[in-house]
Every structure is written in structure tokens, then in C-alpha cells.
Amino acid sequence: QLVQPELGRIRVRLELADGFDDAEAARLEAALRKRCGDAVAIELVADEPFDRAPAGKLQVLISRVDA
């Protein structure tokens, strides 16, 4: 789940599978950095529950940036 709490920052909530290690985290962060650029802070977190819509559907992208 990708969460944008503010401009210039994203949190990536992860549900870790067996075999996910620091090297895999580095590959994921590098792929995101390639898409987002160096000006965006990227934080990988595995200890936060995923947000769901009121109907219970998983929300893949959540932006908390005021439009």
C-alpha cells in the first residue's frame, strides 16, 4: 500500500513474505526512486496495518495531500 502523507514523501506499507530481506528492500526502494526521483522521501514500513475503504476493500494508493 502506498501512502502519500504530504508532498515529497511516500510510505510503502508492506506485508512481508518469507525471503524478503534487506537486498529485496533495496531493490524495491531503487525501483520507486527511479519513478519518483530523488526529491521524494521513501519509507518502507512493515508494522502498520493497511487502510481499507468503508466497504472493506483494500486501498492501494492513499493520498493525504490537500488538492
Side-chain angles (χ1 to χ4, degrees):
Q1 187 171 57
L2 298 173
V3 181
Q4 184 181 21
E6 60 196 38
L7 286 176
R9 186 170 147 231
I10 61 169
R11 295 173 64 83
V12 183
R13 293 178 178 160
L14 302 169
E15 185 173 310
L16 302 182
D18 290 339
F20 189 90
D21 57 13
D22 289 342
E24 189 68 27
R27 283 190 290 276
L28 175 58
E29 187 171 345
L32 289 167
R33 176 97 28 235
K34 187 175 180 180
R35 292 290 240 165
C36 298
D38 291 331
V40 176
I42 298 171
E43 182 181 6
L44 305 179
V45 293
D47 57 352
E48 288 184 3
F50 291 174
D51 288 346
R52 297 192 176 269
K57 249 180 125 172
L58 179 65
Q59 296 178 278
V60 176
L61 177 62
I62 300 166
S63 177
R64 296 201 171 105
V65 177
D66 292 333

